[in-house]
Each structure stands twice: as C-alpha cells, then as structure tokens.
Amino acid sequence: MRRQWLFAIVASAALAASGCSYDATDSGTDADNVTARPTSLSPPAAAGAVLLKTADSPLGTITVDGEGMTVYIYDPDEEHPTGDSCDESCLRYWPAVTSVTDSPVTEGINAAIGTVPGPEGSFQVTVNGKPVYRYLDDQVPGDMSGQSIGSLWFMIDEFGNPVFATE
C-alpha cells in the first residue's frame, strides 16, 4: 500500500512538472520496461461484435472490452468531447477503445454508450460521455495494472462510474 501511495505522489509530481495537463504516458514504473505499440489505438471492433461487456474483478463488476481486457477512463477528461483527447504519445500507452461503427454493441453495460471521432478515422467509444482506453501493461484479461495511475486513470463499473478502490 505504501508503495502505491509513493508511486501516486511521484507520478502526480511528474505530471505537474511536465506542464502538460494530459501527458499521462507513464507505464506505472518507467518507459524502459514497456514496448510501445506501433499503432495508436486498439484494433477496432468489427461491426456487430461485442465491444464492451462486464467482468467480475477483485474490485467488483467492471467494464472490459470484447476480449476481456480492462478499460479505463482518464478522470479529467470532459464529458462529450468533440474528439480524442489523448495525443500520440499518450495513445502509445493508453490505446483508445475504438469501433468501426458509431453504434458499438455492448453486453451488460447499464450506461450511456456513444462515440467521438477517434484516431486514424475510427470511432472512439465513450461511456457516460467519457472516452475509454486500454492500458499497455495489461497483457491478459483480468489485468488491472492501469488502475489509479497518477490518481487519474480509473476502471469503470457496469454503470460507467469510476472505480476508485485499489484493493
């Protein structure tokens, strides 16, 4: 627990020192242990495929993508933005959850689902008006490595509410 608090303080200080309100590219430790994706987005879900669904986790029921990977919101994001708020360097670590259609299919989500123009001509999915992302260090379904990074990135529950718990 002490290590998480220390990391949160260090990450917050680094974000503040960068002078950039949205450059959350930290992988949770350092960039040397992360392989950046060659693309800036998650592969778009095919039309008709389930894009978001729910899964049980140690922190309760959460929202995951169609492959079972945890999805996150960036807490300072505005609701109903006009486009993607994560720049190229951010998207390397926080790939946007995207769709090939502006009407993504969901299963078990009790929240408003929408889209905004996403990277590379895709549609970035929104939950309750906030864009959703995956986290690069989450390697298999059930990973939750992005939870509370910098006290800015949070998983969401099936109602689209941020999950602030970390244990």
Side-chain angles (χ1 to χ4, degrees):
M1 180 72 169
R2 180 179 234 189
R3 189 175 185 178
Q4 289 174 330
W5 277 107
L6 177 62
F7 172 74
I9 291 167
V10 170
S12 295
L15 287 172
S18 73
C20 181
S21 63
Y22 193 71
D23 189 16
T25 59
D26 185 22
S27 70
T29 54
D30 61 57
D32 293 336
N33 68 351
V34 176
T35 304
R37 291 182 189 264
T39 181
S40 60
L41 54 99
S42 298
V50 173
L51 184 64
L52 295 177
K53 58 186 180 179
T54 61
D56 292 329
S57 83
L59 301 179
T61 302
I62 60 169
T63 300
V64 298
D65 70 9
E67 297 174 357
M69 301 301 291
T70 305
V71 299
Y72 302 88
I73 59 164
Y74 177 63
D75 197 47
D77 266 348
E78 294 181 23
E79 289 184 13
H80 309 291
T82 56
D84 185 26
S85 60
C86 194
D87 65 20
E88 181 78 19
S89 63
C90 168
L91 288 170
R92 286 194 324 231
Y93 301 97
W94 298 95
V97 175
T98 58
S99 176
V100 295
T101 174
D102 63 355
S103 301
V105 176
T106 64
E107 204 173 81
I109 307 297
N110 297 308
I113 304 298
T115 61
V116 294
E120 301 175 16
S122 66
F123 295 95
Q124 183 171 4
V125 178
T126 62
V127 177
N128 288 343
K130 287 200 164 207
V132 292
Y133 305 86
R134 287 181 45 182
Y135 182 52
L136 183 66
D137 281 354
D138 287 349
Q139 299 296 310
V140 296
D143 282 356
M144 303 180 302
S145 303
Q147 177 62 356
S148 195
I149 286 192
S151 297
L152 298 171
W153 293 92
F154 298 98
M155 300 180 304
I156 53 176
D157 65 17
E158 72 270 28
F159 302 105
N161 300 315
V163 174
F164 294 113
T166 57
E167 325 184 327

